[in-house]
Amino acid sequence: YGASRSGLRVSMIDSLPISVVVPTYQREQVLLETIEHLLALRPAAAEILVVDQTETHQLPTEQHLARWAASSRIRWLRLDAACITAAMNEGLRRANQEIVLFLDDDIRPEPDLLAAHVSAHRDHGDGLVAGRVIQPWQEGLDEADDRPFHFASTHPAQIREFMGGNFSIRKGLAIGLGGFDENFVRVAYRFEAEFADRWIRSGRRIHFEPAACLHHLKVAHGGTRSYGDHLSTWRPDHAVGAYYYALR
């Protein structure tokens, strides 16, 4: 047995009691690299579910995913329509573990990502853990004095929202709250804020755990960025989410 930097003592040969869910849409090589990073983590996740909303992949991507699925290294779930909240709900329903970790499909995880999420759930009974997300423009910055709070912070905190690309939740609690609102479609802008509002109103808290860290590559194409950047696009997909959230 060995101790990870997160403080959780785990067997170096056993898997952790956590299901990793990776919703993906129109991603190719970066999706494969993300999965390779996740498969290389030790201790491993109990399972990795790739919830794929891509209609047709490039042949190398299709072959890699099929090979991993055939050897049971991943569970590859394919959906007929693209909707990130629907994909997340499908992953939530199909997960075999009570702790479910949602990750973006364009990331590079730190070695203790999984262990830190599991450890945080053991330390905090509220059931939602938000992990640290380092964006490309934050690489190499000194975050020692990181106030006010941001998601590249190095200090644990109780917060009011979370980022959908690195958070874990207890399956039963999330399903009991109704899951993620599938009226947030396409970009699904502000779906995290809406769920966080429901979560906090139910009397629970959101714990930020900086040891559960990943690097977000923020690939320009695919995923929700298939619909443009919310600060520059002329398309209404982001505004729709903002208006729906305001109405909710």
Side-chain angles (χ1 to χ4, degrees), residues 20-165:
V20 175
V21 174
V22 181
T24 186
Y25 178 57
Q26 292 188 357
R27 290 272 163 77
E28 303 294 339
Q29 183 61 33
V30 71
L31 169 63
L32 300 181
E33 292 170 358
T34 294
I35 296 171
E36 286 174 344
H37 288 314
L38 295 174
L39 290 171
L41 293 177
R42 293 294 180 271
E47 61 176 355
I48 298 173
L49 291 81
V50 178
V51 188
D52 198 345
Q53 306 150 82
T54 308
E55 184 176 341
T56 305
H57 277 295
Q58 296 172 5
L59 182 58
T61 307
E62 193 85 13
Q63 291 174 334
H64 270 84
L65 293 172
R67 185 159 56 247
W68 280 328
S71 61
S72 299
R73 301 194 71 194
I74 66 171
R75 292 171 61 193
W76 186 21
L77 313 177
R78 307 201 74 166
L79 303 186
D80 294 332
C83 175
I84 188 170
T85 46
M88 292 173 69
N89 283 335
E90 183 69 8
L92 192 63
R93 287 188 292 266
R94 300 280 291 273
N96 289 331
Q97 301 296 310
E98 178 60 17
I99 300 174
V100 182
L101 169 60
F102 291 94
L103 298 174
D104 274 349
D105 57 359
D106 57 342
I107 63 159
R108 178 171 55 83
E110 286 290 314
D112 282 345
L113 174 70
L114 304 180
H117 272 283
V118 173
S119 182
H121 278 278
R122 292 179 177 176
D123 293 340
H124 305 276
D126 295 306
L128 198 157
V129 175
R132 185 182 182 206
V133 178
I134 301 174
Q135 302 287 4
W137 57 88
Q138 295 168 320
E139 294 288 352
L141 296 181
D142 181 4
E143 303 292 354
D145 185 18
D146 50 6
R147 297 293 191 271
F149 173 80
H150 54 80
F151 282 96
S153 171
T154 57
H155 299 290
Q158 299 298 322
I159 57 178
R160 295 195 60 83
E161 290 192 25
F162 61 93
M163 293 187 72

Side-chain angles (χ1 to χ4, degrees), residues 42 61-62 82 121 141 151 156 175 202 211 225-226 229 237-238:
R42 293 294 180 271
T61 307
E62 193 85 13
H121 278 278
L141 296 181
F151 282 96
I175 291 176
S202 74
R225 282 178 290 284
S226 300
D229 184 274
D237 301 285
H238 294 83

